Amino acid sequence: MTDARARAIGLLLLASPALVVATLTVDARARRAARRAEEPALAAVAVRLPSSDLALSGGARWLRAPSIEEPGAAFADGPALPDPDPAGGAMAPPLDVWSAAAERSRPAGSPARMLIEKGARSR
Amino acid sequence: MKGSLLAHAFGALARRRARSIALGGGLAFAVALVAAVLFLTESLRGEAERAHAAHPDIVVQKLVGGRPTTIPASERAKIADIPSVREVTPRVWGYIFLPALQGNVTVVGTPRGVPPISVANGALHSGRDLVPGEHEMIAGVDLAHFLGMLPGDELGLPSADPRAHAMKLVGTFKSSLDLWTADVILCDEDDARALLGLPDGDATDLAVTLANPAEARIVAGTIIERLPTARVIERDLLERVHHLSYGRRAGLVLGASIPAILALLVLAWDRASGIGADERREIAVLKAVGWSTSDVLWAKLFESILVGAGATALGLLLGYAWVFWLGAPGLRPALVGWSVLYPRASLTPVVDVAQLLGVTIAVLGPFVLLSVVPAWRAATADPLESMRS
């Protein structure tokens, strides 16, 4: 192999990450542009769907729409199997909203109000 | 001068072809695996957020015993007069287990007055929109195919409710919308109510649209006050759910891959740091003919940089091709979940220059830095000692 050829290939290898990054960026941009053309169709269908969650885990109803399923649902694909996606872990209840609403609905000095205040302090 | 050293470094790699391929191949595989998981995760998050805007600002469910149950549609009156609430729509939807499919389908009732969908606006692959009261349905292409149905065929879905009617398939969703519609059966609200056994006057949940979405938190608080048993879900929280869901899945896949990646990196390190007898002799000859320590150091560094750069570029390319050109075979089921009706729609890349450069630097930087020590050791070796040994 001649020195010039080895040098050219060496330079090409050195520049290869930049070339690949540029190629992938152009391809990704083209694919995003093509996808944007489908936005009106998606918008027309999405308003009829119960959630924007993807239809990825239809076998387990609590995973089909994790954003609006029951909080803390028990889940197992089988006995003693690990829980890969607990719905309750993904979506915490709106504690601030609940406690603020509860505080407003209880009279000051009541046992329930004191309990709420104690809970708020411990948080 | 540096050009000549680069040429020499490439020549040395070519002479030790098997070692270079083993080292570069291992590194490229590790980069491809990590990059593919990142590309796929980001893409799924992006896809989930694409339909985000169509989701109602607030969803109100009723909880009994900590679990969602149906909510009386009349409860909408308690919400409708809250300032900033523009519309409250009771929604009818739910799941039906199909024994033939061994999985659930999502049955969704279409309320009156929603914008039409058609082949012309790109939402349907074939057929037409529903005509209310005609017992018609629209399903995903794969679901229809799985059930052996063509437009015009009728299907009686399993239901204990005697009101449930067999429905005629009048359209199929476009396959590019599979990610949202693969398991969806769209029908009119009365049919959905009958199929799901939902009593008249009840709804699965209430969808609340606000005049000013920025007021969602305040409206949510007011709804909780008026409906103490309600569970209020704000749209903004969904983004967090999607990030956590896909992040957790990506973490699991990467966690499972750590032993394989570590083994490859240890192998690569061992190959990179170990200097064989031939290489030692070659360095000794170079120094004997007048190369300085700096020249040898640069030549050895160039060898590492060439392998690292080539492997990183190849790994990125393989990871991208694996996910977006080939559809992530083998990886997709682990990341997107387990389903009988598997959405086939291709994913859209979300990666940008910054992320790609970030992966490149994260791999190439440590690899080159770790190569400095063995390169220095090789460059400072005594040529006479090396030749004698």
Side-chain angles (χ1 to χ4, degrees), chain B residues 284-303:
Chain B
V285 169
L286 289 175
K287 292 192 84 174
V289 298
W291 280 43
S292 66
T293 300
S294 163
D295 292 339
V296 177
L297 182 63
W298 271 110
K300 301 310 290 177
L301 266 180
F302 272 136
E303 281 183 32

Side-chain angles (χ1 to χ4, degrees), chain B residues 32-115:
Chain B
L33 184 59
V34 174
V37 172
L38 292 178
F39 292 159
L40 190 51
T41 308
E42 287 302 316
S43 177
L44 285 170
R45 281 182 183 146
E47 297 289 0
E49 280 162 23
R50 283 179 62 216
H52 195 61
H55 197 268
D57 297 302
I58 293 174
V59 172
V60 181
Q61 296 176 331
K62 184 181 175 186
L63 291 183
V64 172
R67 309 190 71 171
T69 183
T70 56
I71 185 167
S74 56
E75 300 280 44
R76 68 191 288 194
K78 295 180 181 170
I79 302 172
D81 64 340
I82 297 173
S84 183
V85 171
R86 197 166 63 193
E87 192 180 1
V88 184
T89 312
R91 303 193 301 181
V92 176
W93 65 277
Y95 306 107
I96 287 185
F97 183 77
L98 291 188
L101 192 68
Q102 281 297 296
N104 288 307
V105 291
T106 308
V107 174
V108 184
T110 304
R112 287 169 195 271
V114 290

Side-chain angles (χ1 to χ4, degrees), chain B residues 168-205:
Chain B
K168 185 199 281 187
L169 183 73
V170 294
T172 52
F173 293 112
K174 200 172 175 186
S175 54
S176 60
L177 303 176
D178 254 8
L179 278 168
W180 295 270
T181 60
D183 64 343
V184 169
I185 289 180
L186 216 59
C187 53
D188 80 15
E189 218 167 82
D190 292 337
D191 283 326
R193 194 177 286 283
L195 279 170
L196 298 168
L198 210 64
D200 290 332
D202 275 12
T204 308
D205 53 29

Side-chain angles (χ1 to χ4, degrees), chain B residues 318-359:
Chain B
L318 285 176
Y320 189 90
W322 187 9
V323 174
F324 300 115
W325 297 346
L326 301 176
L331 185 62
R332 195 162 167 164
L335 262 173
V336 303
W338 303 264
S339 185
V340 183
L341 290 163
Y342 213 65
R344 293 179 207 279
S346 59
L347 296 165
T348 310
V350 177
V351 287
D352 55 15
V353 184
Q355 285 169 318
L356 289 168
L357 284 178
V359 174

Side-chain angles (χ1 to χ4, degrees), chain A residues 3 9-10 14 27-28 31-32 35 39 48 50 53 55-56 58 64 67-70 84-85 91 98 104, chain B residues 50 61 67-68 91 95 108 115 129 179 183 224-225 231 238 241-242 249 320 324-325 336 339 348-349:
Chain A
D3 192 61
I9 298 174
L14 279 185
D27 185 79
R31 283 166 185 264
R32 281 198 291 270
R35 197 67 157 170
E39 295 292 337
R48 301 194 185 195
D53 294 325
L56 300 178
R64 170 60 180 88
S67 56
I68 52 175
E69 299 303 357
E70 58 260 51
D85 257 318
M91 182 83 181
W98 283 358
R104 279 197 296 275
Chain B
R50 283 179 62 216
Q61 296 176 331
R67 309 190 71 171
R91 303 193 301 181
Y95 306 107
V108 184
D129 201 358
L179 278 168
D183 64 343
I224 293 280
E225 275 180 39
R231 177 175 181 239
L238 301 186
V241 175
H242 294 141
R249 290 180 186 191
Y320 189 90
F324 300 115
W325 297 346
V336 303
S339 185
T348 310

Side-chain angles (χ1 to χ4, degrees), chain A residues 3-59:
Chain A
D3 192 61
R5 193 171 168 209
R7 192 181 302 191
I9 298 174
L11 281 174
L12 192 67
L13 270 178
L14 279 185
S16 59
L19 293 175
V20 166
V21 166
T23 308
L24 298 188
T25 305
V26 169
D27 185 79
R29 195 168 291 172
R31 283 166 185 264
R32 281 198 291 270
R35 197 67 157 170
R36 266 197 296 277
E38 290 174 356
E39 295 292 337
L42 175 60
V45 171
V47 291
R48 301 194 185 195
L49 300 178
S51 84
S52 58
D53 294 325
L54 305 180
L56 300 178
S57 301

